[in-house]
Amino acid sequence: MAEVNTAAAPAPRKRLTAPDLQWLALTVVVLFMLATFIAPLLQVLFLGVTDDGGNFTFAPLKELFQNGSLRHVILQTAFTAAEVSLCCLIIGYPAAYYLSQLKGKMATLTGIAILFPFLTSSLVRTFVFMVILGRTGLLNSLLKALDIPGTPFKLLFNQAGVVIGMTYVLLPYMLLSLIGTMRKIDPVLLNAARSLGAGPTTIFLTVYLPLSLPGVAAGTIITTILGFGYFVTPALMGGPSETMIAQLVEQRIVVMYDMHGAAALSLIMLAIVLAVYAIAARWLGLSRMMRPHG
């Protein structure tokens, strides 16, 4: 007589549904941000408002606010970041307009060419540009061959060198922001304006330029914020009078071993960046301008 199997059948394994996977991915991202950004930021905040004994104090911040040279460096940093952002926009807008018209393989190759500099470190890119801008570098040699008066120009270890170097490093961010926005502009709108008798200048000023403003706003904010905290290029291509705030943070840590002062400086940098973003969002309608139009 056959033996009857009375053992209970194993319960079917529960599969993760699509919403479960989405929550799992969100949890991983949140935990990663907490561990790598929020927790270190809170640690910096703690260091900035405490002394060596762990006692709460505003002394590091008070010392910095009473430092006249720090105010000069902050203004110098803000002015340089604005200069670099403006240069990126002036160079990037016409270049992005042309590149956004490319189709197929040419568009793909263009995207690869723009992203290619990101495959190397900013240190290497800056050093390459130092070789180009040197007194016997490629640019000065070319200008000298063209018999330009005043050559060779001093393009390193001054404000011009810092602006040129940072513009070169940050230009891809402006290009990517502008090209992404310009490719979304519906050509039907341009054709409609043309059919109504508008000329190229009128079409650009009244249709194309307003529709491209989200890219302009995004690129300007990104390059300004990155430029405000940039360290490598000003340190290598600037002189003593072009000291930026990120270099002061490095000096506090490496030279003065003042972690509380460095943390206080970092808090000031963070507060300025957040204030600029808040002003742009409030008075320029940044969130509306950066919202993709459909």
Side-chain angles (χ1 to χ4, degrees), residues 133-210:
L133 296 180
R135 294 183 73 85
T136 58
L138 177 64
L139 181 59
N140 267 320
S141 298
L142 179 62
L143 295 176
K144 199 171 182 178
L146 295 174
D147 202 19
I148 302 296
T151 54
F153 295 111
K154 183 174 173 53
L155 299 174
L156 288 177
F157 312 119
N158 53 22
Q159 180 70 7
V162 173
V163 172
I164 292 173
M166 289 178 65
T167 300
Y168 165 69
V169 173
L170 297 178
L171 184 59
Y173 295 98
M174 179 66 78
L175 283 175
L176 292 175
S177 301
L178 289 172
I179 291 174
T181 301
M182 289 176 175
R183 281 181 177 163
K184 293 177 183 176
I185 295 176
D186 192 347
V188 173
L189 298 175
L190 307 180
N191 292 333
R194 194 174 295 112
S195 66
L196 292 174
T201 304
T202 303
I203 293 173
F204 174 77
L205 293 177
T206 60
V207 181
Y208 197 88
L209 181 61

Side-chain angles (χ1 to χ4, degrees), residues 2 30 54 57 68 80 89 97 114-115 117 124 134 139 142 158 179 198 214 224 257 261 264 271 290:
V30 170
T57 176
T80 303
L89 181 59
Y97 174 79
I114 294 174
L115 293 174
V124 174
L139 181 59
L142 179 62
N158 53 22
I179 291 174
T224 302
Y257 305 104
M290 295 179 66

